[in-house]
Amino acid sequence: HLPGDIDYSGHSFDSYPPGLAAVFGPDAIPQGGLLQIVAFVGFLELFVMKDVTGESEFPGDFRNGALDFGWDSFSEETKLSKRGIELNNGRAAMMGILGLMVHEKLGGSIPIVGEM
């Protein structure tokens, strides 16, 4: 957990439970806080994370001509390979977090994380 208070009324980050209990449990984050999170994500989706220049090479390419990091120097075969690797890493991360959420609902302990 982060140190300090999450709001001006003195609630600390530690006062909210981890995982799904922070959203659905009796000590859940207040509805106003969740609404702020959803509104912020919606703002990013609608106004920030979009192709402004029309130069995108593939869905999800939001470089807008500003960030390159050498991407344009790769061959088409290397670009496809790197995009496939990134997609597989994202899928592996989704399966990992899904496993953690299922384990949280089942209870018990996880060797790396500990008691849930």
Side-chain angles (χ1 to χ4, degrees), residues 57-81:
E57 293 183 36
F58 49 86
D61 181 11
F62 301 124
R63 292 178 292 158
N64 292 318
L67 299 174
D68 187 346
F69 300 119
W71 179 257
D72 293 334
S73 65
F74 295 131
S75 68
E76 290 301 317
E77 182 180 330
T78 304
K79 287 180 183 180
L80 284 174
S81 172

Side-chain angles (χ1 to χ4, degrees), residues 23-61:
V23 179
F24 300 114
D27 297 328
I29 297 170
Q31 294 295 331
L34 290 176
L35 181 65
Q36 287 177 1
I37 293 170
V38 170
F40 180 66
V41 170
F43 171 79
L44 290 177
E45 286 285 333
L46 293 174
F47 300 108
V48 178
M49 301 298 291
K50 61 182 182 177
D51 182 22
V52 178
T53 61
E55 300 173 0
S56 65
E57 293 183 36
F58 49 86
D61 181 11

